Amino acid sequence: MTVLLLFFSGIGAFPARADVLTVKVGVYENAPKVFTSESGKPSGIFIDIIESIAKSEGWDLRYVAGTFAEGLDRLTRGEIDLMPDVAYTSDRDKLFAFHKVAVLSSWSQIYAARGSGIRSIVDLNGKRIAVLERSVQQETFNRLTNGFGIQITIITASDYKTMFERVARGEVDAAITNRFYGLMHAKKAGLEDTAIIFEPSDLFFAATRNDPKRLLNSIDSRLSDLKKDSQSEYYASLKRWTSEEVRFKLPAWLQILGLVLGIALLLSLAGSFILKHQVDTRTRELRTSEQKYRELVQNANSIILRWNRAGEITFLNEFGQNFFGYSEAEILGRHVVGTIVPESESTGRDLSPLMDEICARPEEFENNINENMLRNGDRVWISWTNKIVKNNAGQVLEILSIGSDITERKQTEEELDKHRLHLEEMVNERTVELKAKQTELEAANNKLKDLDRLKSMFIASMSHELRTPLNSIIGFTGIILQGMTGEINAEQRDQLQRVLKAGKHLLALITDVIDISKIEAGKIEAYAEEFPLDSVINDALSELKLPIKEKGLEIGVSMIPEKIILKTDRKRLFQCVLNYLSNAVKYSEKGTITILAEEKGDKMQIKVTDTGIGIKEEDLSRLFQSFIRLDSNLRMTVSGTGLGLYLTKKLATEVLGGEVSVTSTYGKGSTFMLSIPKNLRNKTDQEILPQ
């Protein structure tokens, strides 16, 4: 395939001039972003954009086909100059060069066969998941499932088409793809999207390390110009590969009106022109409104239901049909009672009295939780948000209901209630037997700790339920900012950027809450591995490269001895170092940040010293506590959750087996210290030690 592409790309071409730059571009199969058409021509959004840039720059493009993994290997060896559709990661930044202006924003999503029952991440336990070889989704999804203790089997494939085919044949249970490919191919493959969305990311062209042909600056410059022009090839490509044509039929009255206007045209050309302009404007508005509504309903991962005053179902979206187990033809016109609401002695099929009651107290009906039923008779709990539609006389015409399945949450709450009741009985019994049965009291205390861990697990579960829709908010906001849903004005862009920033801030808070909850629930165990300490420090500094550069801060790193090898949990140590450095950068407007790493016997001591605002002596005791942010002149301009230092202390003491401390001089700066064992034994290592 590679040879054919290179051969056909040269047919009919004159010998390249000396001043024409030849650029080799990798191609793999990931429609609509980049793929090979039936005619054998490279196609897709990335191909349209690079060809537009090449035309402006005078480049001679040569395409090299293969899998995604083969493309990355060729880029590493310098056999090609550019690889399209590459998500930025810190590991890839060490191998390749990236430009600054993102081509697209996307996210990863799980796709499964219809009726698979996979609705949330916990449903993936024990499942076989297909993922693109060497993709960023593989590493990210492994971390996500490991964090929730979910056991899965990862099966890699060279392209997305193969993955979807294996799901359709039942060889694997689900597949991970980007949202663009899923929208274009899932329905044809007989698959459906699930509510499991993760890892929003920006996509770029990756170049050979150090960009020897100096391609990336040209890509940034041309791409910025293309994005500013709504009529450019950039937006034309997005519309060509991702938009659906909206069929619009003029109503009969408007056709009659057009006939009348045609007659009026003979009498008044000017009046006809004005009216035509108004009709065209209204038509465009209707097209835009209809398209947005269709996308909202089509992409919704919630139940959307409409039912009239008589209780008859007038609409149920595709997600709701799959959830309850009915086709559209089967459920339309059926009564809600006996279909999705269980019948009982107190439930009548005449809903008129209920509608009158709703009209008198609508605020009590707007949000409620009901026990509903599926077609097979299974009972589920659904949280409903209801919108009442009335006529001019105030009578209820219909109800628009949007629902989310909270059966798992409801079951957890019921279990908690049972445990609370049991706890009360248990404490009373143990109090009576305290003097005679001290050992039984210790057992009761252990059960209390189990309940506390269950509470933390519940908090972690709830945080995940928040994180899933939040990832969707971040992803959809990014798509709107890219202009994929149409042009937006400056004020709208500013507001959406605020939404995106707030969403990422909230996502960071939820992630910290999940980590803390898992520590308190005893669900985080250290995983010791050998690694050089300087790699952790360099990775943390790389994460903060932009704010360090913006503030003009100087960074000093000193290690004694110069090369230090640790055996501990690298991921958790990285979190601690990153939190210390992040605080130092936030609260230092100028000056120097110094990192000192020094061996102290069998301990490793890491100190982060800044020349920032410092901490008052009376406030030192309040550090390393949850949701604590000290008053300072920077508090209103520096964002934070108040969980960073608390999480650092938890990780250091309960996971890494170390300790934390701080010294500070108000107005001059602070020093935060982390001391941990140089060699941390895994739990399995500890269990086999002689007693």
Side-chain angles (χ1 to χ4, degrees):
M1 187 61 178
T2 302
V3 175
L4 289 176
L5 280 174
L6 289 174
F7 176 76
F8 285 118
S9 65
I11 293 179
F14 292 102
R17 301 194 312 269
D19 59 343
V20 173
L21 181 63
T22 299
V23 179
K24 296 180 181 179
V25 182
V27 176
Y28 79 109
E29 302 307 310
N30 188 1
K33 294 186 291 182
V34 55
F35 65 102
T36 305
S37 67
E38 294 181 357
S39 64
K41 182 180 182 300
S43 303
I45 299 172
F46 275 85
I47 299 301
D48 291 344
I49 292 171
I50 197 62
E51 289 188 347
S52 175
I53 294 173
K55 182 178 180 181
S56 301
E57 294 289 329
W59 296 343
D60 179 20
L61 297 181
R62 305 293 175 92
Y63 295 108
V64 180
T67 66
F68 182 73
E70 289 172 345
L72 294 181
D73 290 338
R74 286 172 178 150
L75 190 63
T76 303
R77 296 192 297 266
E79 297 174 3
I80 60 175
D81 303 304
L82 293 174
M83 185 65 187
D85 190 26
V86 181
Y88 175 88
T89 67
S90 57
D91 288 338
R92 287 176 176 171
D93 190 43
K94 298 174 184 176
L95 299 174
F96 313 121
F98 292 84
H99 52 96
K100 297 180 177 61
V101 180
V103 179
L104 296 172
S105 290
S106 184
W107 64 88
S108 302
Q109 189 159 5
I110 298 288
Y111 289 84
R114 295 186 183 277
S116 66
I118 297 176
R119 298 190 180 92
S120 68
I121 192 168
V122 296
D123 297 326
L124 297 178
N125 194 37
K127 296 293 193 295
R128 301 160 298 173
I129 311 299
V131 65
L132 183 66
E133 182 183 7
R134 296 273 298 279
S135 66
V136 71
Q137 294 104 323
Q138 181 175 356
E139 178 183 353
T140 303
F141 193 68
N142 275 331
R143 290 199 307 267
L144 179 64
T145 53
N146 288 339
F148 283 91
I150 295 173
Q151 300 296 322
I152 61 171
T153 300
I154 291 291
I155 299 174
T156 60
S158 60
D159 57 75
Y160 289 134
K161 182 175 182 290
T162 300
M163 290 162 52
F164 272 19
E165 289 174 348
R166 297 194 69 178
V167 176
R169 292 195 300 264
E171 297 174 4
V172 294
D173 300 298
I176 304 174
T177 73
N178 61 77
R179 182 59 170 167
F180 288 101
Y181 189 89
L183 281 173
M184 187 172 185
H185 298 283
K187 192 171 183 179
K188 291 186 293 185
L191 309 186
E192 64 180 0
D193 58 351
T194 71
I196 310 171
I197 298 174
F198 63 97
E199 194 65 17
S201 59
D202 291 331
L203 304 177
F204 303 86
F205 287 97
T208 306
R209 186 66 179 165
N210 299 324
D211 189 20
K213 292 188 177 181
R214 299 294 182 265
L215 304 173
L216 299 183
N217 287 339
S218 299
I219 291 176
D220 272 332
S221 175
R222 297 294 182 181
L223 189 55
S224 295
D225 292 340
L226 289 170
K227 286 190 173 185
K228 292 175 184 177
D229 182 6
S230 62
Q231 305 300 317
S232 69
E233 176 60 24
Y234 178 85
Y235 293 103
S237 178
L238 291 179
K239 182 177 180 180
R240 181 184 310 123
W241 297 112
T242 65
S243 298
E244 298 181 3
E245 285 296 328
V246 181
R247 299 180 179 177
F248 181 80
K249 183 178 180 181
L250 291 176
W253 66 267
L254 193 56
Q255 297 178 18
I256 297 173
L257 179 60
L259 179 61
V260 174
L261 292 175
I263 299 173
L265 179 63
L266 301 175
L267 304 175
S268 176
L269 183 60
S272 170
F273 177 79
I274 294 173
L275 185 56
K276 181 179 182 300
H277 175 73
Q278 292 174 342
V279 171
D280 289 343
T281 300
R282 180 56 179 161
T283 300
R284 287 194 298 270
E285 292 174 352
L286 288 173
R287 285 178 182 268
T288 301
S289 176
E290 183 180 347
Q291 178 70 13
K292 289 181 178 179
Y293 177 76
R294 176 184 296 179
E295 291 176 354
L296 175 63
V297 174
Q298 181 180 9
N299 296 329
N301 287 321
S302 299
I303 304 165
I304 301 178
L305 169 72
R306 281 169 43 196
W307 45 292
N308 59 25
R309 182 181 180 87
E312 298 168 340
I313 298 172
T314 59
F315 174 80
L316 182 64
N317 69 338
E318 185 175 347
F319 181 90
Q321 295 168 25
N322 294 333
F323 179 80
F324 286 110
Y326 294 94
S327 68
E328 183 178 25
E330 290 172 331
I331 201 166
L332 292 185
R334 296 184 66 162
H335 204 279
V336 291
V337 177
T339 303
I340 64 174
V341 177
E343 292 191 55
S344 65
E345 294 180 0
S346 59
T347 304
R349 296 182 72 88
D350 182 10
L351 297 185
S352 297
L354 175 61
M355 292 299 182
D356 294 334
E357 187 176 349
I358 290 172
C359 222
R361 295 180 286 111
E363 67 282 351
E364 298 181 10
F365 184 70
E366 289 178 355
N367 294 282
N368 56 62
I369 296 175
N370 289 327
E371 184 180 21
N372 299 108
M373 66 179 183
L374 307 181
R375 182 174 184 171
N376 61 11
D378 290 347
R379 300 300 172 94
V380 291
W381 286 95
I382 299 179
S383 176
W384 293 103
T385 299
N386 304 297
K387 177 66 177 178
I388 304 168
V389 181
K390 305 177 184 177
N391 59 18
N392 294 333
Q395 295 177 315
V396 177
L397 295 179
E398 66 174 8
I399 305 293
L400 173 62
S401 301
I402 300 177
S404 299
D405 180 17
I406 61 165
T407 304
E408 293 182 8
R409 191 186 84 186
K410 193 71 175 178
Q411 292 172 346
T412 302
E413 291 173 350
E414 291 175 353
E415 285 297 317
L416 284 173
D417 289 338
K418 292 178 182 178
H419 280 294
R420 291 191 190 98
L421 292 174
H422 179 61
L423 173 62
E424 206 173 307
E425 297 172 357
M426 185 174 60
V427 170
N428 290 334
E429 292 174 0
R430 296 303 181 266
T431 302
V432 175
E433 301 171 0
L434 178 61
K435 294 180 181 180
K437 298 182 180 180
Q438 186 65 32
T439 55
E440 292 185 13
L441 177 60
E442 292 175 357
N445 287 336
N446 289 334
K447 289 187 178 180
L448 286 174
K449 292 178 182 178
D450 289 340
L451 290 177
D452 188 62
R453 285 195 294 268
L454 183 61
K455 175 209 69 177
S456 296
M457 292 173 61
F458 175 69
I459 293 174
S461 176
M462 287 302 299
S463 297
H464 169 66
E465 293 298 328
L466 290 172
R467 188 164 60 175
T468 298
L470 187 57
N471 275 326
S472 297
I473 292 172
I474 293 173
F476 282 118
T477 304
I479 288 176
I480 296 174
L481 284 170
Q482 287 287 332
M484 294 175 60
T485 59
E487 295 184 41
I488 57 176
N489 58 40
E491 181 179 356
Q492 291 170 331
R493 181 173 297 279
D494 179 68
Q495 297 297 328
L496 286 171
Q497 287 173 341
R498 291 172 184 264
V499 170
L500 187 61
K501 181 178 179 182
K504 289 182 177 179
H505 175 72
L506 181 56
L507 185 60
L509 172 60
I510 292 172
T511 301
D512 285 349
V513 169
I514 290 176
D515 280 344
I516 292 171
S517 298
K518 287 194 289 187
I519 292 173
E520 293 177 345
K523 291 298 182 181
I524 289 185
E525 295 181 0
Y527 175 74
E529 58 178 316
E530 288 191 355
F531 59 89
L533 176 58
D534 59 356
S535 68
V536 174
I537 295 175
N538 290 336
D539 286 351
L541 289 173
S542 177
E543 288 283 335
L544 301 169
K545 185 191 311 181
L546 182 58
I548 290 174
K549 182 178 180 181
E550 289 176 345
K551 291 187 174 184
L553 299 173
E554 295 183 4
I555 304 296
V557 180
S558 178
M559 299 181 64
I560 305 173
E562 293 184 357
K563 194 66 175 178
I564 299 173
I565 302 298
L566 298 181
K567 184 179 180 182
T568 186
D569 193 314
R570 189 185 192 282
K571 175 181 177 182
R572 302 307 175 185
L573 177 59
F574 171 77
Q575 284 182 265
C576 295
V577 174
L578 181 61
N579 283 338
Y580 272 178
L581 285 174
S582 179
N583 267 17
V585 173
K586 283 181 182 179
Y587 295 103
S588 298
E589 291 300 298
K590 59 182 179 179
T592 303
I593 296 175
T594 303
I595 307 160
L596 171 63
E598 187 174 8
E599 291 183 349
K600 297 287 187 180
D602 61 349
K603 302 281 187 181
M604 172 53 56
Q605 191 176 88
I606 303 171
K607 293 182 179 179
V608 177
T609 303
D610 62 67
T611 56
I613 62 176
I615 304 168
K616 296 178 182 178
E617 184 175 356
E618 60 267 29
D619 288 334
L620 288 175
S621 62
R622 301 174 59 207
L623 290 174
F624 299 106
Q625 297 181 30
S626 60
F627 297 104
I628 293 295
R629 295 191 66 205
L630 304 182
D631 291 326
S632 72
N633 59 333
L634 296 179
R635 179 165 181 174
M636 297 304 294
T637 59
V638 174
S639 62
T641 64
L643 286 176
L645 290 180
Y646 178 68
L647 178 58
T648 299
K649 180 179 179 181
K650 283 283 187 182
L651 290 172
T653 58
E654 299 185 27
V655 179
L656 301 179
E659 58 185 7
V660 296
S661 63
V662 60
T663 59
S664 182
T665 301
Y666 185 64
K668 294 186 178 180
S670 306
T671 296
F672 285 83
M673 189 273 289
L674 169 67
S675 177
I676 61 171
K678 291 189 297 184
N679 291 285
L680 179 67
R681 294 188 180 95
N682 286 320
K683 184 176 180 181
T684 53
D685 297 334
Q686 297 172 351
E687 290 173 348
I688 64 175
L689 288 176
Q691 300 298 318

